[in-house]
């Protein structure tokens, strides 16, 4: 078993170890570059917003970018939920780093509204709402996403309170609204119990809402707009590949934290061992879900479905698909089956980079053809396939700019909220010890109920 | 080289067994000369032994390659041999045969892994000394030593307070040994 | 998850090997009763081979019915073994120890039971070998590897072989113990041969540990593929209600749902029959119940996906099939029973700790789940076939006959006999694994509390 980093055992309980937020050097070249790109992202967004409102073709690449964010950044907090649900110590140093991605996830909403505004009415095309009124898909989509993001914010807020709340003596002096923001935290037994229960419930809801949001968004922006495309496994494919990408984003973040921050002394190969296994599992799930879809369409040979596959995989967006195949499956699979890659954080991060590159191309090949389809109300009658829609300069700048915006939002969050969950690290220090056993050494892991 | 014989010390606690190992090392025996026998797996290194090196991970890869080859031969052979009319479509179609290739690969990997387990565990093994008390939770320390070093071995094992010391001829500590099997 | 085992290593050995070493009277009674039930079933099967398939309720175009439903059902049950054993081994969950072997044995005998059904269903059983093996060289009759009906035997064979070998490797230490405790020469010889001289050296234990992880990692993809391939028997066709890309994961998660429920049922029976109260505790069924909540909820989500995307394309045949499944005649009654049994009753009950820790209530709820899941497979397969043809004069309704029902019920005895026989010859719990759990179990003192803990290397 790979042992935790030694720093995890030496945590001070008196005074209690409280990690501080990272200091972001705004004058650093990388931060400056991100800032510049972020401005480009905002400018290209404004160009689309004011110059192409309601134009589905113009919002194709932004829609793909939105799905990239939903499938990576918004999924990262699930790692925190998973490691808490399984009571795994391995996830400890990565939990807050994963939860902080909720802040950049809020950017998804800025893309969602204009994308939804481009969608044609439901009548006359296949849809998941069965032509139900009540403003579908706009109202339920916007509502579902809002609830999803608010749940994530609540999760981050609740888990951060013990780390950011001032001591009771200072808390008393704050105005009432600020005391409420800190949940009047004083660390009583009852408060700890309530906090844990809230984190469990919010985490479970976050997972369920994520799956639901992926299902409706991937269908409304994907399948519903491309005639002939009908796949029950597609929402599952998007959800699971999202989890794979969320892990990738978290791995890159903790690898950067290890390299550039003093808090990195708590991060090591122990995280890689477990995250690597899950990453291998989700990589296999990618090919499994893809194959379930592709093989069935190939075998049954229904013309509409075959045409959809020809657009998304085999002919029109083949190049994009191949990059996605290599990035999200072949490279990670070949890398992760070897222990020396899977069990080392600094090697795992390159697999994570491959996954994220693959994700971008994957979402482009899935959602750009849908958003640019000529006639969502049509049925495939055996005519010619549409040509690929390549990104123009504005689209490329948009994608790069929004990646930068995500990074900037994350850095802002990390400069406000500590990137380690101090209270859980202190608890773990009580429950984990190295001890001699006969002539060897073992790690003793406490498992309280 | 002088022929070697086996001596088996039986201990009640892991500490006693570890003590015996330490004394054997001090006497000049190395890792290749002694073994710890237990009916329960203990954490690695508990008795001060070195990390076990093995190549078990290589076997699944070899097996997967063989399984894939067999699968390919079977699938292609069956389809080429059966003169079905395909209406111009390819006789060998990847999406249709991948399932069988996959199963063949996995079966090959598993079969070779099992062979690897037996090989790395040095099984079948019918030549070692054994005592039924080990099955009841006692810990055995088995030493292969030349006849001329038997006394050293016995002294080292005795100093760790064994319940019994067993050789091929029977118990070396008690006149009426309990059943020993090899 | 931390009720420690309160007996010492010697008592553990004695209790786990008790049934192996001596044969109580009830074993003969139980074996006899189960053999009788099975004999009735096999008698009907032999009769079918003699008389023909007309004794079943088939009518054009419904040619897949009870036997195929039972085939899918038992394949589903077989998934629990690997799910529990492999996944819990990989996650190093301590509570897996008493559960793994019974789950694996259930897998083996469930697979064997499942494999019988397509053979019976074919009518001319001796010809089913054409499916899987290059059988008749002279007439050029080769299996068609493009057919899902050929993928099935390759997947099931791979799964069965892998599981048997997996069990055997994990059984080696226990075979060695059985050898050391054997009361007579014949059994001593047999266990000696089977154990291959396993002595429990450091190397052998290390390889056991690595092999467990490695084989778990290899078997997991096989387990996913088996039921996916079974699902493709249906999904690649154009039968209404069958053509849905979600079938593969839907079948797999359904299999896990029914399989884990079956494991809980079996564990409770074993606890009572073999007096294993020291080893199967309320903590174990509590953990399994929590797993079941997650699995059942996921399964329900996939059911909704199947439903929604079945109707998504608004094709009239698909809409018609779902309408009949849910709202027409006997199907609607079955739909209500199925959803109540498989989800609505058990899952909310499992949310309560008191239910999760009650052996009686868990026994009842898990049996309900399997009743519901059997009906689910029935509702998946038959309604679509009844309207398979576009020609209305070929519409049909299926009515099962006594003989089909008898075969389905009698086949319950086959895995039961298998389990009982296995438990007579080998320990039904992995003794070495349980003893390891006792060795590595410890406590941490924090203040006045003793927190249960585990040692890891």
């Amino acid at each position: 078993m790979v042992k935790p980093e030694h720093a995890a055992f030496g945590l001070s309980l008196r005074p209690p170890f409280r990690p501080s937020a990272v200091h972001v050097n705004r004058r650093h070249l990388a931060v400056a570059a991100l800032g510049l790109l972020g401005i480009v992202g905002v400018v290209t967004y404004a160009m689309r917003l004011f110059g192409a409102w309601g134009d589905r073709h113009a919002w194709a690449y932004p829609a793909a970018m939105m799905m990239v964010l939903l499938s990576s950044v918004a999924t990262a907090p699930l790692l925190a939920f998973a490691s808490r649900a399984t009571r795994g110590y391995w996830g400890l140093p990565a939990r807050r780093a994963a939860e902080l991605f909720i802040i950049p996830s809020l950017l998804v909403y800025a893309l969602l509204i204009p994308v939804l505004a481009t969608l044609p009415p439901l009548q006359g095309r296949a849809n998941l709402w069965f032509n139900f009124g009540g403003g579908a898909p706009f109202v339920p989509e916007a509502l579902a996403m809002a609830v999803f993001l608010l749940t994530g914010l609540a999760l981050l807020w609740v888990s951060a309170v013990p780390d950011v709340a001032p001591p009771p003596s200072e808390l008393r002096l704050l105005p009432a609204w600020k005391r409420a923001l800190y949940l009047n935290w004083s660390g009583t037994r009852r408060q700890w119990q309530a906090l844990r229960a809230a984190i469990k419930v919010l985490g479970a809801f976050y997972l369920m809402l994520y799956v639901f949001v992926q299902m409706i968004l991937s269908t409304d922006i994907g399948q519903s707009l491309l005639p002939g495309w009908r796949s029950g496994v597609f929402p599952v494919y998007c959800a699971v590949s999202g989890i794979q990408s969320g892990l990738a984003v978290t791995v890159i973040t903790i690898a950067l934290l290890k390299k550039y921050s003093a808090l990195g002394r708590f991060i090591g190969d122990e995280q890689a061992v477990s995250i690597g296994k899950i990453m291998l599992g989700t990589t296999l799930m990618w090919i499994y879900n893809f194959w379930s879809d592709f093989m069935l369409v190939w075998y049954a040979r229904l013309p509409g479905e075959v045409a959809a596959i020809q657009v998304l995989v085999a002919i029109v967006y083949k190049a994009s698909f191949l990059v996605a195949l290599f990035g999200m499956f072949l490279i990670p699979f070949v890398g992760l089956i070897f222990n020396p890659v899977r069990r080392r954080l600094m090697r795992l991060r390159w697999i994570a980079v491959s996954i994220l590159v693959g994700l971008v191309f994957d979402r482009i090949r899935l959602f750009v053809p849908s958003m640019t389809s000529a006639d969502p109300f049509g049925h495939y009658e055996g005519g010619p396939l549409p040509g690929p829609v390549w990104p123009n300069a504005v689209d490329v700048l948009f994608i790069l700019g929004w990646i930068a915006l995500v990074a900037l939002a994350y850095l802002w969050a990390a400069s406000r909220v500590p990137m380690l969950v101090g209270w859980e690290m202190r608890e773990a220090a009580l429950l984990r010890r190295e001890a001699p056993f006969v002539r060897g050494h073992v790690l003793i892991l406490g498992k309280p109920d | 080289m002088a022929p070697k014989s086996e001596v088996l010390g039986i201990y009640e606690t892991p500490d006693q067994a570890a003590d015996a190992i330490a004394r054997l090392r001090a006497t000049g025996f190395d890792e290749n000369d002694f073994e710890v026998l237990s009916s329960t797996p203990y954490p690695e290194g508990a008795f001060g032994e070195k990390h076990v090196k093995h190549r078990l991970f290589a076997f699944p890869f070899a097996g997967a390659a063989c399984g894939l080859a067999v699968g390919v031969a079977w699938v292609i052979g069956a389809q080429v041999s059966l003169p079905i009319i395909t209406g111009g479509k390819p006789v060998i179609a990847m999406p249709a045969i991948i399932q069988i290739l996959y199963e063949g690969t996995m079966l090959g990997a598993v079969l070779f892994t099992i062979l690897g387990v037996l090989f790395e565990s040095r099984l079948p093994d019918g030549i070692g000394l054994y005592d039924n008390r080990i099955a009841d939770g006692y810990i055995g320390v088995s030493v292969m030593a030349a006849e001329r070093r038997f006394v050293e071995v016995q002294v080292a094992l005795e100093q760790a307070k064994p319940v019994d010391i067993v050789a091929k001829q029977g118990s070396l500590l008690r006149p009426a040994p309990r059943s020993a099997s090899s | 998850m931390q009720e420690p085992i309160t007996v010492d290593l010697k008592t553990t050995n004695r209790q786990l090997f008790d049934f192996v070493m001596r044969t109580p009277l009830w074993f003969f009674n139980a074996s006899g009763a189960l053999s009788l039930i099975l004999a009735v079933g096999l008698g009907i099967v032999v009769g079918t081979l003699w008389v023909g398939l007309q004794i079943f309720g088939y009518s054009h175009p419904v040619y897949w019915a009870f036997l195929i439903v039972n085939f899918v059902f038992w394949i589903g049950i077989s998934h629990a073994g690997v799910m529990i054993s492999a996944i819990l081994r990989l996650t190093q969950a301590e509570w897996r120890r008493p559960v793994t072997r019974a789950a694996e044995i259930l897998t083996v005998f469930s697979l064997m039971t499942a494999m019988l059904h397509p053979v019976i269903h074919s009518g001319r059983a001796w010809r089913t070998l054409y499916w899987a093996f290059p059988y008749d060289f002279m007439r050029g009759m080769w299996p068609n590897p493009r057919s899902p009906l050929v993928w099935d035997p390759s997947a099931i064979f791979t799964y069965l072989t892998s599981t048997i070998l997996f069990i055997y490797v994990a059984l080696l230490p226990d075979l060695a113990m059985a050898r050391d405790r054997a009361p007579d020469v014949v059994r001593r010889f047999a266990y000696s041969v089977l154990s291959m001289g396993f002595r429990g050296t450091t190397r052998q234990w290390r390889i056991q540990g690595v092999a467990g992880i490695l084989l778990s990692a290899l078997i997991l993809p096989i387990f996913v593929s088996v039921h996916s391939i079974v699902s493709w028997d249906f999904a690649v066709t154009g039968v209404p209600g069958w053509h849905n890309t979600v079938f593969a994961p839907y079948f797999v998660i359904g299999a896990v749902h029914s399989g884990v429920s079956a494991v809980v049922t079996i564990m409770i029976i074993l606890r009572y029959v073999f007096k294993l109260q020291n080893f199967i505790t309320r903590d174990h069924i509590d953990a399994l119940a929590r797993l079941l909540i997650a699995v059942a909820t996921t399964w329900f989500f996939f059911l909704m996906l199947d439903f929604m995307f079945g109707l998504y394309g608004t094709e009239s045949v698909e809409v018609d099939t779902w309408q009949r499944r849910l709202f027409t005649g006997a199907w609607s009654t079955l739909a209500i029973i199925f959803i109540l049994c498989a989800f609505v009753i058990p899952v909310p009950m499992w949310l309560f700790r008191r239910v999760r820790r009650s052996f009686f209530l868990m026994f009842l709820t898990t049996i309900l789940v399997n009743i519901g899941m059997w009906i689910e497979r029935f509702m998946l397969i038959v309604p679509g076939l009844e309207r398979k043809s576009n020609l209305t004069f070929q519409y049909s309704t299926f009515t099962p006959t006594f003989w089909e029902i008898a075969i389905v019920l009698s086949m319950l005895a086959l895995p039961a006999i298998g389990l009982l026989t296995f438990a007579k010859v080998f320990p039904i719990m992995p003794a070495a694994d349980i003893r390891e759990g006792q060795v590595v179990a410890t406590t941490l003192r924090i203040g006045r509390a003793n927190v249960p803990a585990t040692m890891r290397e």
Side-chain angles (χ1 to χ4, degrees), chain B residues 82-171:
Chain B
L82 188 62
I84 58 171
I85 297 164
T86 59
K89 287 183 282 189
V91 173
I92 314 291
M94 282 306 291
I97 63 173
I98 277 196
Q99 278 69 229
I100 293 182
L101 296 185
Y102 169 82
E103 297 298 338
T105 307
M106 297 308 292
L107 183 60
V110 169
L111 287 173
F112 270 60
T113 304
I114 301 299
L115 290 175
V117 168
L118 297 179
F119 175 74
E120 292 287 352
S121 301
R122 312 293 187 245
L123 294 174
D125 174 15
I127 53 174
L129 201 60
Y130 193 73
D131 189 284
N132 285 353
R133 281 170 284 190
I134 296 172
D136 276 337
Y138 289 83
I139 297 165
V141 177
S142 157
V143 189
M144 292 294 285
E147 289 278 347
R148 57 185 167 79
R149 297 199 74 184
F150 249 50
V151 174
E152 288 176 68
V153 169
Q154 195 169 343
V155 166
L157 291 177
E158 269 182 25
Q159 283 173 343
K161 300 189 184 59
V163 166
D164 199 357
I165 297 177
V166 176
K168 223 174 192 161
Q169 60 270 32
S171 172

Side-chain angles (χ1 to χ4, degrees), chain A residues 36 62 75 226:
Chain A
L36 204 63
T75 332
L226 193 67

Side-chain angles (χ1 to χ4, degrees), chain C residues 22-190:
Chain C
R22 54 173 205 88
T23 310
L25 188 61
W26 69 259
F27 170 76
F28 297 106
N29 295 337
S31 302
L34 289 169
S35 300
L36 190 63
I37 296 170
L38 188 61
V40 167
L42 291 176
I44 297 172
V45 169
V46 169
T48 310
L49 294 176
W50 185 257
V51 171
L53 293 178
Q54 67 265 27
I55 62 171
F56 297 152
Y58 299 144
S59 66
H60 182 75
V62 183
Y63 288 122
W64 282 10
F66 265 40
L67 289 175
I68 299 301
V69 169
N70 224 32
F71 163 67
V72 178
F73 176 75
W74 283 109
I75 294 281
I77 299 283
S78 75
H79 272 47
V82 168
M83 161 83 187
I84 283 169
S85 182
I87 290 183
L88 296 183
R89 233 180 257 265
L90 289 173
T91 54
Q92 296 181 296
E94 284 297 312
W95 60 270
R96 76 178 188 278
R97 296 180 192 276
V99 179
T100 51
R101 185 164 297 155
E104 289 157 9
I105 298 308
L106 181 64
T107 292
V108 169
F109 290 108
S110 303
L111 275 176
M112 290 177 180
T113 308
M115 279 164 70
L116 277 181
H117 287 79
V119 176
I120 303 168
H121 166 80
S122 69
R124 296 182 193 185
W126 55 94
R127 290 199 176 181
T128 56
L129 292 173
Y130 287 152
W131 280 345
F133 300 105
Y135 175 51
D136 193 339
F137 297 91
M138 302 305 290
R139 289 186 285 173
M141 297 285 285
W142 296 93
N144 178 11
R146 298 163 90 105
S147 165
L149 299 179
V150 175
W151 305 343
D152 263 351
S154 74
I156 294 171
F157 177 73
T158 302
Y159 189 35
L160 184 62
T161 310
S162 307
T163 309
I164 290 173
L165 291 172
F166 185 28
I167 293 169
Y168 178 63
V169 163
L171 203 50
L172 282 171
D174 291 350
L175 289 169
M177 285 217 64
R179 170 198 67 203
D180 300 334
R181 306 175 87 84
D184 55 67
V185 170
V186 171
R187 279 195 269 188
R188 191 179 184 83
F189 176 75

Side-chain angles (χ1 to χ4, degrees), chain B residues 44-62:
Chain B
E44 204 182 8
F47 301 103
E49 73 278 19
K50 281 199 188 129
H51 180 68
V52 168
K53 287 195 176 116
H54 62 85
R55 289 212 171 134
L56 191 56
F57 291 109
F59 285 84
F61 288 105

